[in-house]
Amino acid sequence: MNREYLKDKKRVVVKIGSSSITHPKTGKPALARIEKLVRILTDLENTGKEVILVSSGAIAVGRNLIGLTGKPSTKELKQACAAVGQASLMTIYQRLFAEYGIKVAQVLMTKNTMIVDKSRHNARNTFSELLKLHVIPVVNENDTVSTDEIEFGDNDTLSAIVAALVGADLLILLSDIDGLYTDDPRKNPDARFIDTVEYIDDGIIAMGKGVGTDVGSGGMFTKISAARIANDSGADMVIASSENLEVIYDIVEGRNIGTLFLAHKNENFHLIDYLSGGCSD
Ligand code: GLU
């Protein structure tokens, strides 16, 4: 499919996972990659686009800083790691973006931020104000306070919700897989790559079920659920490999990279219908 029209996208959400911004062996921040991401996002901003970054990595960076070798064993330890890591991650983003004269803002959310009407409106207004000020919002789940009942659980879903909340027209999910296949390409040599998904039907959902990615909390299934939220809200979504971050340029220049999930705005779209559980005030 001709993707030239992607060049006209104005409000773009980019999601990057923990494994893409940390070194696999040490778990420490992969500064050269983060630097490259920052440079590319600044470049998009410089073309007049509005950019929002959804970045994971709080827990990974935090656990490394406090000297844990494995995954945190308790909820409290995980929350503590996130508190340490989120601050450190933001310091890195703030410093690197500052080199290009770009200001960033930290926005941390839980599912409750979206479920409670007042806080959802506040969050939307804050994003809109930040974008007007040409500040790049750097978003993550508020892992320090979120527990099972109120968490999104993965940043694929969070990034789609952010895209819907701010009325973005494009969501780019950078992943350790280069898009959607008919089956798991690591197990089935006959698995075919899907270039474009027009509608997310049962066949597409079935394709996502067998394919889990190695790291991070979102497998292909969560990416397809994220696409459903983004597409229904009116945003196109592209899943592409984060291996070479220059793919971000390819995507916004309309080249055929990754799998494109086409937007089909549901006029009755209500974000709240896509969230389950949570507690109210
Ligand atoms: N919010 C988590 C973190 O920053 C990551 C969640 C995810 O990878 O989807 O560590």
Side-chain angles (χ1 to χ4, degrees):
M1 185 185 143
N2 187 328
R3 297 193 189 174
E4 281 285 302
Y5 76 100
L6 292 183
K7 283 183 175 166
D8 300 328
K9 297 293 180 182
K10 173 94 172 93
R11 191 168 278 190
V12 183
V13 177
V14 176
K15 182 258 166 178
I16 188 105
S18 309
S19 62
S20 306
I21 53 165
T22 52
H23 289 291
K25 275 198 190 136
T26 62
K28 294 188 179 181
L31 292 175
R33 283 178 63 76
I34 302 177
E35 212 281 320
K36 194 167 189 182
L37 175 70
V38 163
R39 183 160 41 80
I40 295 170
L41 296 184
T42 301
D43 219 8
L44 294 199
E45 185 82 17
N46 288 353
T47 63
K49 294 188 194 298
E50 296 170 325
V51 178
I52 294 169
L53 172 63
V54 177
S55 175
S56 307
I59 297 166
V61 170
R63 85 175 193 229
N64 186 275
L65 278 173
I66 62 173
L68 272 190
T69 43
K71 286 201 169 172
S73 52
T74 62
K75 182 183 72 188
E76 291 77 6
L77 190 52
K78 183 174 143 189
Q79 291 174 323
C81 288
V84 173
Q86 180 64 28
S88 174
L89 201 57
M90 278 314 295
T91 306
I92 295 171
Y93 279 126
Q94 205 158 31
R95 278 200 187 150
L96 294 177
F97 273 109
E99 285 183 19
Y100 299 105
I102 296 274
K103 296 206 165 36
V104 293
Q106 170 181 263
V107 182
L108 299 179
M109 307 201 296
T110 66
K111 207 194 262 184
N112 260 12
T113 320
M114 292 295 107
I115 288 172
V116 178
D117 287 346
K118 181 98 184 124
S119 47
R120 188 176 63 256
H121 291 144
N122 286 340
R124 183 181 283 125
N125 291 342
T126 304
F127 274 113
S128 137
E129 207 57 37
L130 289 169
L131 295 175
K132 262 193 239 159
L133 295 165
H134 303 287
V135 173
I136 295 189
V138 181
V139 187
N140 198 356
E141 172 130 36
N142 192 350
D143 298 301
T144 296
V145 299
S146 69
T147 49
D148 288 351
E149 326 78 66
I150 58 161
E151 71 179 6
F152 294 108
D154 67 88
N155 278 6
D156 296 330
T157 308
L158 174 62
S159 62
I161 289 190
V162 168
L165 181 74
V166 303
D169 44 17
L170 178 64
L171 168 61
I172 299 176
L173 280 194
L174 297 173
S175 166
D176 54 1
I177 190 153
D178 56 351
L180 180 64
Y181 286 82
T182 51
D183 197 0
D184 191 337
R186 286 163 298 198
K187 293 184 188 145
N188 179 356
D190 294 329
R192 268 187 309 106
F193 184 76
I194 310 276
D195 174 84
T196 307
V197 173
E198 220 153 309
Y199 282 101
I200 300 172
D201 55 18
D202 292 348
I204 296 291
I205 291 171
M207 285 174 204
K209 281 196 173 145
V211 190
T213 53
D214 291 338
V215 241
S217 33
M220 190 50 79
F221 186 66
T222 64
K223 291 178 174 52
I224 293 173
S225 312
R228 196 171 61 89
I229 301 173
N231 291 168
D232 286 358
S233 79
D236 284 307
M237 184 181 110
V238 177
I239 301 177
S241 165
S242 64
E243 200 175 328
N244 175 7
L245 291 167
E246 311 264 329
V247 288
I248 299 174
Y249 286 127
D250 292 328
I251 294 166
V252 298
E253 279 159 19
R255 286 195 272 278
N256 279 56
I257 294 282
T259 300
L260 169 64
F261 291 76
L262 294 178
H264 36 78
K265 193 170 168 55
N266 172 353
E267 291 310 327
N268 296 316
F269 181 87
H270 294 297
L271 195 45
I272 200 86
D273 298 340
Y274 293 76
L275 303 158
S276 51
C279 336
S280 51
D281 279 344

Short mmCIF file of all heavy atoms in Angstrom, two decimals, residues 166-224:
data_model
loop_
_atom_site.label_atom_id
_atom_site.label_comp_id
_atom_site.label_asym_id
_atom_site.label_seq_id
_atom_site.Cartn_x
_atom_site.Cartn_y
_atom_site.Cartn_z
N VAL A 166 -4.74 12.34 23.31
CA VAL A 166 -4.29 13.61 22.75
C VAL A 166 -4.74 13.82 21.30
O VAL A 166 -4.40 14.80 20.67
CB VAL A 166 -2.74 13.76 22.82
CG1 VAL A 166 -2.25 13.62 24.24
CG2 VAL A 166 -2.03 12.76 21.91
N GLY A 167 -5.49 12.83 20.76
CA GLY A 167 -5.93 12.94 19.37
C GLY A 167 -4.76 12.89 18.40
O GLY A 167 -4.73 13.63 17.40
N ALA A 168 -3.79 12.01 18.68
CA ALA A 168 -2.63 11.87 17.77
C ALA A 168 -3.10 11.27 16.46
O ALA A 168 -4.13 10.60 16.40
CB ALA A 168 -1.58 10.95 18.41
N ASP A 169 -2.36 11.54 15.38
CA ASP A 169 -2.75 10.90 14.12
C ASP A 169 -1.81 9.75 13.73
O ASP A 169 -2.08 9.03 12.77
CB ASP A 169 -2.97 11.89 12.96
CG ASP A 169 -1.91 12.97 12.87
OD1 ASP A 169 -0.85 12.79 13.48
OD2 ASP A 169 -2.16 13.97 12.19
N LEU A 170 -0.73 9.57 14.49
CA LEU A 170 0.16 8.43 14.22
C LEU A 170 0.78 7.94 15.52
O LEU A 170 1.25 8.74 16.33
CB LEU A 170 1.27 8.85 13.23
CG LEU A 170 2.31 7.79 12.88
CD1 LEU A 170 1.67 6.59 12.14
CD2 LEU A 170 3.42 8.38 12.00
N LEU A 171 0.78 6.61 15.68
CA LEU A 171 1.48 5.97 16.81
C LEU A 171 2.53 5.04 16.23
O LEU A 171 2.22 4.20 15.38
CB LEU A 171 0.47 5.18 17.67
CG LEU A 171 1.05 4.22 18.71
CD1 LEU A 171 1.91 4.94 19.75
CD2 LEU A 171 -0.08 3.46 19.44
N ILE A 172 3.78 5.22 16.67
CA ILE A 172 4.86 4.35 16.22
C ILE A 172 5.30 3.49 17.40
O ILE A 172 5.77 4.02 18.41
CB ILE A 172 6.07 5.17 15.69
CG1 ILE A 172 5.64 6.04 14.51
CG2 ILE A 172 7.22 4.26 15.32
CD1 ILE A 172 6.74 6.98 13.99
N LEU A 173 5.11 2.17 17.28
CA LEU A 173 5.54 1.26 18.36
C LEU A 173 6.85 0.63 17.93
O LEU A 173 6.88 -0.17 16.99
CB LEU A 173 4.54 0.12 18.54
CG LEU A 173 3.26 0.30 19.32
CD1 LEU A 173 2.63 -1.05 19.62
CD2 LEU A 173 3.50 1.04 20.61
N LEU A 174 7.92 0.98 18.62
CA LEU A 174 9.21 0.37 18.29
C LEU A 174 9.38 -0.85 19.18
O LEU A 174 9.21 -0.81 20.39
CB LEU A 174 10.34 1.38 18.52
CG LEU A 174 10.23 2.59 17.60
CD1 LEU A 174 11.25 3.64 17.97
CD2 LEU A 174 10.38 2.19 16.13
N SER A 175 9.72 -1.96 18.52
CA SER A 175 9.65 -3.25 19.21
C SER A 175 10.88 -4.09 18.88
O SER A 175 11.71 -3.69 18.06
CB SER A 175 8.38 -3.93 18.72
OG SER A 175 8.36 -5.27 19.06
N ASP A 176 11.00 -5.28 19.50
CA ASP A 176 12.11 -6.15 19.10
C ASP A 176 11.70 -7.08 17.97
O ASP A 176 12.42 -8.01 17.60
CB ASP A 176 12.70 -6.92 20.30
CG ASP A 176 11.65 -7.69 21.06
OD1 ASP A 176 10.48 -7.66 20.65
OD2 ASP A 176 12.00 -8.32 22.06
N ILE A 177 10.54 -6.85 17.40
CA ILE A 177 10.10 -7.59 16.22
C ILE A 177 9.72 -6.56 15.15
O ILE A 177 9.29 -5.45 15.49
CB ILE A 177 8.94 -8.56 16.58
CG1 ILE A 177 8.61 -9.52 15.45
CG2 ILE A 177 7.71 -7.83 17.04
CD1 ILE A 177 8.01 -10.83 15.91
N ASP A 178 9.94 -6.91 13.87
CA ASP A 178 9.79 -5.86 12.85
C ASP A 178 8.38 -5.68 12.31
O ASP A 178 8.16 -4.90 11.39
CB ASP A 178 10.78 -6.09 11.69
CG ASP A 178 10.64 -7.46 11.07
OD1 ASP A 178 9.90 -8.29 11.63
OD2 ASP A 178 11.27 -7.72 10.03
N GLY A 179 7.41 -6.38 12.91
CA GLY A 179 6.03 -6.20 12.49
C GLY A 179 5.24 -7.47 12.76
O GLY A 179 5.69 -8.34 13.50
N LEU A 180 4.08 -7.55 12.11
CA LEU A 180 3.19 -8.69 12.33
C LEU A 180 3.43 -9.76 11.27
O LEU A 180 3.56 -9.45 10.09
CB LEU A 180 1.74 -8.20 12.27
CG LEU A 180 0.64 -9.24 12.47
CD1 LEU A 180 0.68 -9.84 13.87
CD2 LEU A 180 -0.73 -8.61 12.22
N TYR A 181 3.50 -11.01 11.71
CA TYR A 181 3.64 -12.16 10.81
C TYR A 181 2.42 -13.07 10.97
O TYR A 181 1.76 -13.05 12.01
CB TYR A 181 4.89 -12.97 11.17
CG TYR A 181 6.18 -12.30 10.75
CD1 TYR A 181 6.75 -11.30 11.54
CD2 TYR A 181 6.83 -12.65 9.58
CE1 TYR A 181 7.94 -10.68 11.17
CE2 TYR A 181 8.02 -12.03 9.19
CZ TYR A 181 8.57 -11.05 10.00
OH TYR A 181 9.73 -10.43 9.62
N THR A 182 2.17 -13.88 9.96
CA THR A 182 1.03 -14.80 10.03
C THR A 182 1.23 -15.83 11.14
O THR A 182 0.29 -16.41 11.64
CB THR A 182 0.83 -15.53 8.68
OG1 THR A 182 2.09 -16.09 8.30
CG2 THR A 182 0.32 -14.59 7.61
N ASP A 183 2.50 -16.07 11.50
CA ASP A 183 2.82 -17.01 12.58
C ASP A 183 4.16 -16.56 13.17
O ASP A 183 4.78 -15.63 12.65
CB ASP A 183 2.92 -18.44 12.00
CG ASP A 183 2.83 -19.50 13.09
OD1 ASP A 183 2.69 -19.14 14.28
OD2 ASP A 183 2.92 -20.70 12.76
N ASP A 184 4.63 -17.23 14.21
CA ASP A 184 5.89 -16.84 14.82
C ASP A 184 7.05 -17.14 13.86
O ASP A 184 7.34 -18.31 13.59
CB ASP A 184 6.08 -17.60 16.14
CG ASP A 184 7.24 -17.06 16.94
OD1 ASP A 184 8.14 -16.43 16.34
OD2 ASP A 184 7.24 -17.25 18.17
N PRO A 185 7.71 -16.10 13.33
CA PRO A 185 8.75 -16.33 12.32
C PRO A 185 9.97 -17.08 12.86
O PRO A 185 10.74 -17.66 12.10
CB PRO A 185 9.15 -14.92 11.88
CG PRO A 185 8.70 -14.02 12.97
CD PRO A 185 7.52 -14.67 13.64
N ARG A 186 10.11 -17.09 14.20
CA ARG A 186 11.27 -17.81 14.77
C ARG A 186 11.00 -19.31 14.84
O ARG A 186 11.90 -20.10 15.01
CB ARG A 186 11.59 -17.27 16.17
CG ARG A 186 12.26 -15.89 16.09
CD ARG A 186 12.20 -15.16 17.39
NE ARG A 186 10.81 -14.91 17.77
CZ ARG A 186 10.44 -14.01 18.68
NH1 ARG A 186 11.35 -13.31 19.30
NH2 ARG A 186 9.17 -13.82 18.97
N LYS A 187 9.72 -19.67 14.75
CA LYS A 187 9.39 -21.10 14.84
C LYS A 187 8.91 -21.65 13.51
O LYS A 187 9.06 -22.83 13.23
CB LYS A 187 8.28 -21.31 15.88
CG LYS A 187 8.76 -21.00 17.29
CD LYS A 187 7.66 -21.31 18.29
CE LYS A 187 8.05 -20.82 19.69
NZ LYS A 187 6.90 -20.33 20.44
N ASN A 188 8.29 -20.80 12.70
CA ASN A 188 7.70 -21.27 11.45
C ASN A 188 8.33 -20.54 10.25
O ASN A 188 8.06 -19.36 10.03
CB ASN A 188 6.18 -21.02 11.50
CG ASN A 188 5.49 -21.47 10.23
OD1 ASN A 188 6.14 -21.90 9.27
ND2 ASN A 188 4.16 -21.36 10.22
N PRO A 189 9.18 -21.24 9.48
CA PRO A 189 9.85 -20.58 8.35
C PRO A 189 8.87 -20.12 7.26
O PRO A 189 9.22 -19.27 6.44
CB PRO A 189 10.79 -21.67 7.80
CG PRO A 189 10.30 -22.96 8.38
CD PRO A 189 9.53 -22.66 9.62
N ASP A 190 7.64 -20.64 7.28
CA ASP A 190 6.65 -20.23 6.28
C ASP A 190 5.86 -18.99 6.72
O ASP A 190 4.96 -18.54 6.00
CB ASP A 190 5.65 -21.36 6.00
CG ASP A 190 6.36 -22.54 5.33
OD1 ASP A 190 7.34 -22.29 4.60
OD2 ASP A 190 5.95 -23.69 5.58
N ALA A 191 6.16 -18.48 7.92
CA ALA A 191 5.41 -17.31 8.41
C ALA A 191 5.59 -16.15 7.43
O ALA A 191 6.70 -15.86 7.00
CB ALA A 191 5.91 -16.92 9.79
N ARG A 192 4.48 -15.51 7.07
CA ARG A 192 4.52 -14.40 6.12
C ARG A 192 4.40 -13.08 6.85
O ARG A 192 3.64 -12.95 7.81
CB ARG A 192 3.37 -14.52 5.12
CG ARG A 192 3.72 -15.29 3.85
CD ARG A 192 2.57 -15.22 2.84
NE ARG A 192 1.27 -15.58 3.40
CZ ARG A 192 0.30 -14.70 3.68
NH1 ARG A 192 0.45 -13.42 3.43
NH2 ARG A 192 -0.85 -15.11 4.21
N PHE A 193 5.12 -12.07 6.35
CA PHE A 193 5.05 -10.73 6.94
C PHE A 193 3.79 -10.02 6.47
O PHE A 193 3.42 -10.12 5.30
CB PHE A 193 6.30 -9.94 6.51
CG PHE A 193 6.37 -8.58 7.13
CD1 PHE A 193 6.75 -8.45 8.46
CD2 PHE A 193 6.06 -7.44 6.42
CE1 PHE A 193 6.80 -7.20 9.06
CE2 PHE A 193 6.11 -6.19 7.00
CZ PHE A 193 6.48 -6.07 8.34
N ILE A 194 3.12 -9.33 7.35
CA ILE A 194 1.91 -8.57 6.98
C ILE A 194 2.30 -7.10 6.87
O ILE A 194 2.71 -6.50 7.86
CB ILE A 194 0.80 -8.72 8.05
CG1 ILE A 194 0.55 -10.18 8.43
CG2 ILE A 194 -0.48 -8.02 7.61
CD1 ILE A 194 -0.37 -10.92 7.54
N ASP A 195 2.12 -6.54 5.69
CA ASP A 195 2.50 -5.15 5.44
C ASP A 195 1.46 -4.18 6.02
O ASP A 195 1.81 -3.19 6.67
CB ASP A 195 2.64 -4.96 3.92
CG ASP A 195 2.90 -3.54 3.53
OD1 ASP A 195 4.07 -3.15 3.56
OD2 ASP A 195 1.93 -2.81 3.21
N THR A 196 0.20 -4.48 5.76
CA THR A 196 -0.87 -3.56 6.17
C THR A 196 -2.03 -4.33 6.78
O THR A 196 -2.43 -5.37 6.24
CB THR A 196 -1.41 -2.79 4.94
OG1 THR A 196 -0.30 -2.19 4.27
CG2 THR A 196 -2.39 -1.69 5.33
N VAL A 197 -2.55 -3.83 7.87
CA VAL A 197 -3.76 -4.43 8.46
C VAL A 197 -4.88 -3.41 8.30
O VAL A 197 -4.82 -2.32 8.88
CB VAL A 197 -3.55 -4.76 9.96
CG1 VAL A 197 -4.86 -5.23 10.59
CG2 VAL A 197 -2.46 -5.81 10.13
N GLU A 198 -5.86 -3.80 7.48
CA GLU A 198 -6.96 -2.87 7.23
C GLU A 198 -7.94 -2.88 8.40
O GLU A 198 -8.34 -1.85 8.89
CB GLU A 198 -7.65 -3.27 5.94
CG GLU A 198 -8.04 -2.07 5.14
CD GLU A 198 -8.10 -2.40 3.66
OE1 GLU A 198 -7.11 -2.98 3.13
OE2 GLU A 198 -9.13 -2.12 3.07
N TYR A 199 -8.33 -4.09 8.80
CA TYR A 199 -9.23 -4.25 9.95
C TYR A 199 -8.69 -5.31 10.88
O TYR A 199 -8.15 -6.32 10.41
CB TYR A 199 -10.64 -4.66 9.49
CG TYR A 199 -11.41 -3.50 8.94
CD1 TYR A 199 -11.54 -3.31 7.56
CD2 TYR A 199 -11.99 -2.56 9.79
CE1 TYR A 199 -12.22 -2.21 7.05
CE2 TYR A 199 -12.67 -1.47 9.29
CZ TYR A 199 -12.79 -1.31 7.92
OH TYR A 199 -13.45 -0.22 7.43
N ILE A 200 -8.84 -5.09 12.16
CA ILE A 200 -8.37 -6.09 13.12
C ILE A 200 -9.51 -7.09 13.32
O ILE A 200 -10.43 -6.86 14.10
CB ILE A 200 -7.95 -5.42 14.44
CG1 ILE A 200 -6.81 -4.44 14.14
CG2 ILE A 200 -7.52 -6.47 15.47
CD1 ILE A 200 -6.42 -3.57 15.28
N ASP A 201 -9.47 -8.18 12.54
CA ASP A 201 -10.51 -9.20 12.67
C ASP A 201 -9.96 -10.38 13.46
O ASP A 201 -8.83 -10.36 13.95
CB ASP A 201 -11.01 -9.62 11.28
CG ASP A 201 -9.86 -10.08 10.38
OD1 ASP A 201 -8.77 -10.39 10.91
OD2 ASP A 201 -10.04 -10.11 9.15
N ASP A 202 -10.77 -11.44 13.58
CA ASP A 202 -10.35 -12.60 14.39
C ASP A 202 -9.07 -13.22 13.85
O ASP A 202 -8.25 -13.72 14.61
CB ASP A 202 -11.47 -13.66 14.41
CG ASP A 202 -12.67 -13.14 15.19
OD1 ASP A 202 -12.52 -12.10 15.88
OD2 ASP A 202 -13.74 -13.78 15.11
N GLY A 203 -8.89 -13.18 12.52
CA GLY A 203 -7.69 -13.76 11.92
C GLY A 203 -6.44 -13.03 12.40
O GLY A 203 -5.43 -13.64 12.73
N ILE A 204 -6.52 -11.72 12.44
CA ILE A 204 -5.36 -10.91 12.89
C ILE A 204 -5.10 -11.18 14.37
O ILE A 204 -3.96 -11.36 14.80
CB ILE A 204 -5.64 -9.40 12.65
CG1 ILE A 204 -5.78 -9.10 11.15
CG2 ILE A 204 -4.58 -8.52 13.30
CD1 ILE A 204 -4.51 -9.24 10.33
N ILE A 205 -6.17 -11.25 15.14
CA ILE A 205 -6.00 -11.49 16.59
C ILE A 205 -5.34 -12.85 16.80
O ILE A 205 -4.42 -12.99 17.61
CB ILE A 205 -7.37 -11.38 17.31
CG1 ILE A 205 -7.81 -9.90 17.27
CG2 ILE A 205 -7.27 -11.88 18.76
CD1 ILE A 205 -9.20 -9.63 17.74
N ALA A 206 -5.74 -13.85 16.01
CA ALA A 206 -5.15 -15.18 16.14
C ALA A 206 -3.66 -15.15 15.82
O ALA A 206 -2.86 -15.82 16.46
CB ALA A 206 -5.88 -16.16 15.22
N MET A 207 -3.28 -14.32 14.82
CA MET A 207 -1.86 -14.21 14.46
C MET A 207 -1.05 -13.67 15.63
O MET A 207 0.08 -14.07 15.88
CB MET A 207 -1.66 -13.25 13.27
CG MET A 207 -2.07 -13.83 11.96
SD MET A 207 -1.94 -12.51 10.71
CE MET A 207 -3.10 -13.13 9.51
N GLY A 208 -1.64 -12.74 16.36
CA GLY A 208 -0.93 -12.11 17.47
C GLY A 208 -0.77 -13.04 18.65
O GLY A 208 0.15 -12.89 19.45
N LYS A 209 -1.66 -14.02 18.76
CA LYS A 209 -1.66 -14.85 19.97
C LYS A 209 -0.42 -15.71 20.10
O LYS A 209 0.12 -15.86 21.18
CB LYS A 209 -2.92 -15.69 20.05
CG LYS A 209 -4.08 -14.83 20.55
CD LYS A 209 -5.25 -15.64 21.02
CE LYS A 209 -6.27 -14.70 21.67
NZ LYS A 209 -7.63 -15.09 21.45
N GLY A 210 0.08 -16.24 18.98
CA GLY A 210 1.23 -17.12 19.08
C GLY A 210 2.56 -16.41 19.24
O GLY A 210 3.57 -17.03 19.55
N VAL A 211 2.59 -15.11 19.06
CA VAL A 211 3.89 -14.43 18.98
C VAL A 211 4.15 -13.56 20.20
O VAL A 211 3.53 -12.53 20.39
CB VAL A 211 3.94 -13.55 17.70
CG1 VAL A 211 5.35 -13.03 17.46
CG2 VAL A 211 3.45 -14.33 16.51
N GLY A 212 5.10 -13.98 21.02
CA GLY A 212 5.50 -13.16 22.17
C GLY A 212 6.87 -12.59 21.86
O GLY A 212 7.69 -13.25 21.26
N THR A 213 7.12 -11.36 22.27
CA THR A 213 8.48 -10.83 22.06
C THR A 213 9.30 -11.18 23.30
O THR A 213 8.77 -11.53 24.33
CB THR A 213 8.45 -9.31 21.80
OG1 THR A 213 7.72 -8.71 22.85
CG2 THR A 213 7.80 -9.01 20.48
N ASP A 214 10.60 -11.09 23.19
CA ASP A 214 11.47 -11.60 24.24
C ASP A 214 11.47 -10.79 25.53
O ASP A 214 11.46 -11.33 26.61
CB ASP A 214 12.92 -11.65 23.71
CG ASP A 214 13.05 -12.74 22.66
OD1 ASP A 214 12.20 -13.65 22.67
OD2 ASP A 214 13.96 -12.65 21.84
N VAL A 215 11.53 -9.49 25.39
CA VAL A 215 11.71 -8.67 26.58
C VAL A 215 10.56 -7.67 26.71
O VAL A 215 9.79 -7.49 25.79
CB VAL A 215 13.05 -7.87 26.52
CG1 VAL A 215 13.94 -8.23 27.67
CG2 VAL A 215 13.75 -8.06 25.22
N GLY A 216 10.48 -7.01 27.87
CA GLY A 216 9.39 -6.06 28.07
C GLY A 216 8.12 -6.82 28.37
O GLY A 216 8.08 -8.06 28.29
N SER A 217 7.05 -6.09 28.68
CA SER A 217 5.87 -6.81 29.10
C SER A 217 4.85 -6.99 27.99
O SER A 217 3.86 -7.68 28.16
CB SER A 217 5.25 -6.11 30.31
OG SER A 217 5.44 -4.73 30.22
N GLY A 218 5.05 -6.40 26.84
CA GLY A 218 4.04 -6.51 25.79
C GLY A 218 4.43 -7.44 24.67
O GLY A 218 5.42 -7.22 23.99
N GLY A 219 3.66 -8.50 24.46
CA GLY A 219 3.87 -9.37 23.31
C GLY A 219 3.10 -8.81 22.13
O GLY A 219 2.59 -7.69 22.18
N MET A 220 2.99 -9.61 21.04
CA MET A 220 2.29 -9.12 19.85
C MET A 220 0.80 -8.91 20.14
O MET A 220 0.17 -8.02 19.59
CB MET A 220 2.51 -10.10 18.69
CG MET A 220 2.04 -9.61 17.36
SD MET A 220 2.62 -7.95 16.93
CE MET A 220 4.29 -8.27 16.39
N PHE A 221 0.25 -9.76 21.03
CA PHE A 221 -1.17 -9.64 21.33
C PHE A 221 -1.48 -8.24 21.91
O PHE A 221 -2.46 -7.60 21.51
CB PHE A 221 -1.60 -10.75 22.30
CG PHE A 221 -3.07 -10.75 22.52
CD1 PHE A 221 -3.95 -11.06 21.48
CD2 PHE A 221 -3.60 -10.44 23.77
CE1 PHE A 221 -5.32 -11.04 21.68
CE2 PHE A 221 -4.97 -10.42 23.97
CZ PHE A 221 -5.84 -10.73 22.92
N THR A 222 -0.62 -7.78 22.84
CA THR A 222 -0.88 -6.46 23.42
C THR A 222 -0.70 -5.37 22.35
O THR A 222 -1.36 -4.33 22.41
CB THR A 222 0.04 -6.13 24.63
OG1 THR A 222 1.39 -6.08 24.19
CG2 THR A 222 -0.09 -7.12 25.75
N LYS A 223 0.17 -5.64 21.37
CA LYS A 223 0.38 -4.63 20.32
C LYS A 223 -0.86 -4.53 19.43
O LYS A 223 -1.23 -3.45 18.99
CB LYS A 223 1.61 -4.98 19.50
CG LYS A 223 2.88 -4.80 20.33
CD LYS A 223 4.14 -5.17 19.60
CE LYS A 223 5.37 -4.82 20.43
NZ LYS A 223 5.38 -5.33 21.81
N ILE A 224 -1.51 -5.68 19.20
CA ILE A 224 -2.72 -5.65 18.38
C ILE A 224 -3.86 -4.97 19.17
O ILE A 224 -4.63 -4.18 18.61
CB ILE A 224 -3.10 -7.07 17.91
CG1 ILE A 224 -2.02 -7.55 16.93
CG2 ILE A 224 -4.48 -7.12 17.26
CD1 ILE A 224 -2.14 -8.98 16.50
#
